[in-house]
Amino acid sequence: MTSDTTAEPDQQTVETPAGDARITWHPAKRPRRVLALGHGAGGGIEARDLRALAAALPPLGVTVALVEQPWRVAGKKVAPAPKTLDTGWRALWPALEKPGVPVVAGGRSAGARVACRTARELGAHAVLALSFPLHPPGRPEKSRAAELLESGVPTLVVQGGNDPFGKPAEYAELPEGAPKGTPGRAPGGAPGGAYELLEVPYGDHGFAVPKRAPLSQDEALDIITEGVAAWLGVPDGTR
């Protein structure tokens, strides 16, 4: 199957009540979906997983929009309260919908929390939660599972095997009756609110793997990009 040709990235500034935000568009030539990805509280859109997805998905027909929250655009070092992050994300949504195709909301860490909290009200097609911070490191009693479980839309969680904010095994300990998706089911066919879990072995919160690990950093990123492509139901470029 032939993949789409992609265009050059393009930046767009969007005014929000929290200040100016910025979208870096990585467009597909003939997009079938938009994947909007927000960054975490400790970094920006240069994160390895965000960059890997922005490179891998546009040739498969998915436009990737890397979203910088106003506090990052303004050069601040500390993220604001969750309510302010949600306000900025909501104000960006019309720009993300402008291509006229279904929008998958997503992000890494704090950005994943924003996507989950706002997905239902904004009409997101699904949620991609990269390194969802299930709890602060060493504080499992401070669970944020409710944000994930109440997203109201099909959700894929991509979690490093050694993530101190929540290891994959901890998802099995979520409250009984937590909705779970069927492996391999694309967003269009999964029940509302279902989530699936994709593990990146040996990965930390940033999906970095130790040099001694039996898989390379590139192989770890391939797990993410190939897994997300399959979940989105787009061709992997090899068929």
Side-chain angles (χ1 to χ4, degrees):
M1 185 174 293
T2 303
S3 61
D4 291 343
T5 302
T6 58
E8 290 298 316
D10 182 49
Q11 289 191 338
Q12 177 184 4
T13 299
V14 180
E15 293 183 4
T16 84
D20 285 352
R22 185 163 53 223
I23 304 173
T24 300
W25 292 95
H26 294 261
K29 193 72 171 180
R30 294 179 293 275
R32 295 184 283 277
R33 290 189 182 89
V34 168
L35 173 61
L37 296 172
H39 53 76
I45 60 172
E46 71 281 355
R48 59 171 58 86
D49 50 339
L50 303 186
R51 288 297 182 186
L53 289 166
L57 294 182
L60 306 181
V62 178
T63 288
V64 177
L66 299 182
V67 175
E68 293 174 87
Q69 284 270 1
W71 68 275
R72 286 286 299 187
V73 175
K76 297 179 180 178
K77 302 298 183 183
V78 180
K83 182 178 180 179
T84 302
L85 296 176
D86 292 354
T87 295
W89 186 258
R90 290 188 186 99
L92 282 159
W93 197 256
L96 297 170
E97 289 183 312
K98 195 169 183 180
V101 296
V103 181
V104 176
R108 61 166 291 99
S109 195
R113 295 180 65 193
V114 172
C116 287
R117 288 193 299 260
T118 60
R120 191 196 303 265
E121 65 176 281
L122 293 175
H125 186 61
V127 165
L128 173 61
L130 302 160
S131 294
F132 186 84
L134 196 59
H135 56 72
R139 302 291 300 278
E141 73 279 5
K142 300 288 187 181
S143 177
R144 297 159 179 154
E147 293 179 351
L148 172 66
L149 300 178
E150 295 171 7
S151 73
V153 299
T155 300
L156 176 65
V157 179
V158 184
Q159 206 78 359
N162 290 325
D163 191 336
F165 287 82
K167 293 179 173 61
E170 296 180 55
Y171 283 83
E173 301 171 6
L174 293 183
E176 187 175 356
K180 298 193 177 184
T182 302
R185 185 179 293 181
Y195 77 87
E196 301 172 38
L197 181 65
L198 173 63
E199 179 177 354
V200 180
Y202 309 100
D204 64 11
H205 194 59
F207 297 116
V209 297
K211 291 183 178 179
R212 64 181 183 279
L215 79 166
S216 69
Q217 188 64 66
D218 285 345
E219 289 171 331
L221 292 175
D222 286 345
I223 291 173
I224 299 172
T225 57
E226 293 172 8
V228 170
W231 177 71
L232 289 171
V234 295
D236 62 12
T238 63
R239 295 193 299 273

